[in-house]
Amino acid sequence: MSEETWLARAVELATANVADGGGPFGAVIVRDGVLVAEGRNHVTRDLDPTAHAEVTAIRAACTTLATFELSGCVLYTSCEPCPLCLSASLWARLDRVVYAADRDDAARGGFDDRAFYELFDRPRSEWSMTVAQVATADAAAPFDAWLAHEDRTAY
C-alpha cells in the first residue's frame, strides 16, 4: 500500500473518532507494508491526557509485536505529532513518522500546541509549571540497582 493509503486510513480513523465522541486524531503503525496497529484519540473518553492517537497506536503495536521498541515500523498519523507523541515515537524507536494535517490545521480546529513546541526553547524559570529537583541521599539508588541487576533488559 502507498503512504497516501495509510494516511487515508489514519484520517478515516480520526474522522470516525469524532462521531464516537473522541478527538479528531487517528494513527496507524505499519511494518513491511502490513498493518500492525491502529490508534484513536481517547483523551476525553478515558480521562487520560496521554491517550493521544499516536500513543494508543504505539501501545497497541508494542502489545501486538510483544516488544517495547518498534524499529522497522512507520507511524502514519492524521496530524503532525505534538511533542508528547513525537517523544513517544522517539522512545519507541520508530523508523519514520508521516503525517497528513499540520500544526496549523490542528490550531484552526482548536488544538493549538504551539505553546508546547515553544516551551523547550525557554528557560524553565519561565514555564507555567514548576519543574524542580530536590536531591535526596538515595536519589541514585534505583540506577545503582539497575546497573547491578544482571538480567536487566537494555533499552
Side-chain angles (χ1 to χ4, degrees), residues 65-143:
L65 297 174
T67 183
F68 60 84
E69 64 94 18
L70 299 173
S71 59
C73 294
V74 178
L75 169 66
Y76 294 94
T77 181
S78 63
C79 189
E80 180 177 3
C82 71
L84 167 74
C85 295
L86 189 56
S87 296
S89 297
L90 290 166
W91 276 108
R93 293 171 181 81
L94 288 159
D95 283 5
R96 199 161 170 244
V97 175
V98 182
Y99 60 90
D102 66 15
R103 64 181 78 178
D104 296 320
D105 296 314
R108 186 181 60 77
F111 297 88
D112 192 349
D113 294 334
R114 280 181 187 78
F116 297 124
Y117 286 106
E118 296 166 357
L119 178 67
F120 297 105
D121 290 333
R122 297 194 331 248
R124 282 190 182 174
S125 62
E126 296 178 14
W127 291 13
S128 62
M129 177 185 70
T130 302
V131 177
Q133 179 183 17
V134 177
T136 60
D138 60 350
F143 300 107

Side-chain angles (χ1 to χ4, degrees), residues 22-38:
F25 303 96
V28 297
I29 294 180
V30 175
R31 177 185 272 171
D32 298 325
V34 176
L35 178 67
V36 174
E38 298 180 337

